[in-house]
Amino acid sequence: MKITASAISLNVADETASARFLTEHFGFVEEMADDGFVSLRRDDAGFNIVFLRTGKESFRPASHAASAKDGLLIVFVVDDIDIEWARLSKTDIPVATPIETEPWGERYFQVLDPNGVVIQLVQWV
């Protein structure tokens, strides 16, 4: 097997709001979109993020068509967490966890997108 690309796909109530959040605050660009579907890319992320509108009839398997955000973190490892914290702290983005450093060297913070998806930025120190 050779993997040629990777993506994570999330069911959310408002796919365009989540997509707009990642494009405005995290530099993703829309690669393609259709009714109930938006695919975003960022060349240095290593994977695409796809947002699907919850309840979309074409979702398979139908037994898993509910919202996927609970218990899920989208994590981006960054070069300078303090710069990102300062930048995003100047916006009205809801903060889930303010910046902190764990004893094992993980310095991070978490914000919430409009659908409640947790976006975590991390730097290992």
Side-chain angles (χ1 to χ4, degrees), residues 14-34:
D14 186 344
E15 74 284 358
T16 57
S18 284
R20 187 172 39 255
F21 183 82
L22 287 185
T23 58
E24 288 178 8
H25 299 292
F26 296 96
F28 279 79
V29 295
E30 185 179 296
E31 188 168 73
M32 65 179 101
D34 199 358

Side-chain angles (χ1 to χ4, degrees), residues 62-81:
S63 60
H64 289 73
S67 176
K69 69 176 179 59
D70 295 336
L72 176 90
L73 305 174
I74 297 176
V75 180
F76 301 125
V77 178
V78 297
D79 290 335
D80 193 325
I81 193 76

Side-chain angles (χ1 to χ4, degrees), residues 6-10 18-19 22 28-29 31-32 37-42 45 47-51 74-76 119:
S6 297
I8 182 170
S9 180
L10 302 173
S18 284
L22 287 185
F28 279 79
V29 295
E31 188 168 73
M32 65 179 101
F37 163 85
V38 181
S39 178
L40 304 175
R41 72 171 171 75
R42 183 179 157 126
F47 61 94
N48 281 22
I49 297 178
V50 177
F51 291 108
I74 297 176
V75 180
F76 301 125
I119 310 293

